[in-house]
Amino acid sequence: MSRRGRAAALPDAPHQRPAVLEKDGLVVQHRDAQGMMRSYDFGALPVPEAFQRSLASLYVVKCAPGGGWGSIETSEAHWYLVRPFTEFLAGLDDVPPDVDRLTTTHWNAWRLSLPPRPNGYSKYASVAGLLQLDPRLAQPVREAMAGQ
C-alpha cells in the first residue's frame, strides 16, 4: 500500500529468483542478501561426476534462502573444506563413485589424515554436516561421523 492507501503498482512480469544451480548441474551460484554472488564449479572437483552432482545438490540446499548459508563468506569457507576432502578421496585406490558409496573406511581414513590442530575438527564437522544432508548416506557412516 502507498501512503495514501492505494495498492502499490505491480511489476509487468512476475519476479523469479535467479537459479541457484546452472543448467549443467555442476555449477552452483550463491547470491547472498547483500547482492554478492559467487559461483562454485563442482565439475572441477577430482571425484566422479555422480559425486560432483551430489555435492552440488547439497550446496544448492545450503545456499538457497533459509538454507543456512546466508553469506558468501560461509559458502566459501565450506568450499575450501569440501575441496580437500574430494582431493583426499581422489587419491584413494577405491574412490567412491557417489555419496551413497562412501564407507566408514573412507570417512575414518580422511578424519585420521587431518592434522591434530583445532581447525582439524572444524573441517571434519563442516564436511560431515554437509554430507549428512544427503538421505542416501549410509547409516554406519552417519554413526562414524557422530562418534567423533
Side-chain angles (χ1 to χ4, degrees):
M1 291 289 218
S2 70
R3 290 185 219 186
R4 294 183 178 176
R6 297 183 192 148
L10 296 174
D12 295 333
H15 173 73
Q16 291 184 350
R17 186 177 202 92
V20 175
L21 190 62
E22 296 216 351
K23 293 176 186 174
D24 65 1
L26 292 173
V27 177
V28 176
Q29 291 190 343
H30 183 195
R31 287 178 178 82
D32 67 11
Q34 290 76 36
M36 303 277 297
M37 198 268 298
R38 170 82 156 81
S39 293
Y40 302 99
D41 183 3
F42 287 85
L45 297 177
V47 289
E49 186 176 336
F51 208 119
Q52 294 170 345
R53 288 186 185 285
S54 293
L55 289 172
S57 67
L58 296 173
Y59 245 69
V60 166
V61 170
K62 295 301 286 182
C63 291
W69 293 350
S71 70
I72 297 298
E73 290 89 10
T74 304
S75 62
E76 204 165 67
H78 282 80
W79 176 253
Y80 290 119
L81 299 175
V82 167
R83 211 170 53 186
F85 173 67
T86 62
E87 290 167 355
F88 174 82
L89 292 177
L92 298 175
D93 291 334
D94 61 335
V95 179
D98 202 350
V99 172
D100 62 344
R101 301 296 297 275
L102 190 68
T103 66
T104 55
T105 303
H106 297 128
W107 182 256
N108 289 332
W110 178 68
R111 183 183 57 80
L112 292 172
S113 76
L114 296 175
R117 297 185 197 136
N119 71 343
Y121 179 76
S122 68
K123 289 179 185 179
Y124 166 84
S126 296
V127 174
L130 183 65
L131 292 174
Q132 288 175 353
L133 294 173
D134 193 322
R136 301 171 304 142
L137 185 67
Q139 187 61 33
V141 179
R142 291 176 186 278
E143 291 169 5
M145 291 173 171
Q148 304 304 320

